[in-house]
Amino acid sequence: VVPAIGLYLVADGMGGAQAGEHASRLAAATIQQAVQQNGKTMDADGLVVAFGRANQNVMNAAASNPEMEGMGTTLVVAVENDGDLLIASVGDSRVYTFENGTLQAITEDQTWVNEVGRRLGIDEENLKNHPMRHVLTMAIGVSDNLRVHTHRIHPTPGMVILLCSDGLHGVVSEEEMKNALSSEESLEGKSKALIALARSRGGPDNITTVLLRAA
């Protein structure tokens, strides 16, 4: 979270504790550098280029260190741009907007469940327990053929924007998220409530949340 340059991101690393942490940190640093260099001129194309650079940096780091082989990370980024938020994502970390009691997912998961399972007609109940449910179809540091999803949203005053890892949305229902976001708590209080919900489900994965409120 770097409010001075209007940058907010979540990177959920994979490939063992050390390698996953290294991949996510490297990707985050690459995006921060790109946003700092571009300033207010950062656009969707610039974000895609920055994601490509992050992808190459993680792949190069993995290739130069056998202990880092196979590492990667999801990456979801929100950048302030002329009153809008530019969104870019790879993997299954998400951006939601919450306004007037309505929670809307802005990003699309790049997962086997979303891109293959649903197209095969497998019902949602079976998908929840499918052996492929945790498999990503795209991540930073895994392939030269990177697919980056981009979106632009125009936040209205009071709108809350949530960035999170699958450690939250994978175990907490959207109805429960809405209830937590509807509370009178501060943004920090809402974030703690969301994390507590995920922990109450066993906290099977890293739980990361970033909450913003449009002025």
Side-chain angles (χ1 to χ4, degrees), residues 53-153:
R53 193 173 303 138
N55 187 55
Q56 199 59 55
N57 286 346
V58 173
M59 289 180 70
N60 290 346
S64 65
N65 185 342
E67 292 183 1
M68 301 293 178
E69 186 179 355
M71 71 177 176
T73 183
T74 72
L75 186 60
V76 62
V77 176
V79 179
E80 295 177 17
N81 178 274
D82 196 24
D84 289 347
L85 272 179
L86 296 177
I87 308 293
S89 69
V90 164
D92 64 352
S93 292
R94 292 181 183 176
V95 174
Y96 292 90
T97 59
F98 181 70
E99 185 177 35
N100 299 324
T102 299
L103 184 70
Q104 180 178 356
I106 301 301
T107 53
E108 302 165 29
D109 292 348
Q110 290 174 311
T111 60
W112 184 92
V113 162
N114 192 48
E115 297 188 343
V116 180
R118 289 197 174 98
R119 292 177 185 175
L120 290 174
I122 301 174
D123 64 78
E124 293 301 316
E125 201 55 42
N126 282 319
L127 285 174
K128 285 179 183 177
N129 302 302
H130 198 282
M132 298 282 281
R133 66 188 180 280
H134 297 303
V135 175
L136 295 176
T137 53
M138 190 59 55
I140 297 290
V142 173
S143 168
D144 283 322
N145 300 315
L146 191 68
R147 291 184 289 114
V148 183
H149 293 161
T150 61
H151 310 268
R152 177 185 286 267
I153 60 176

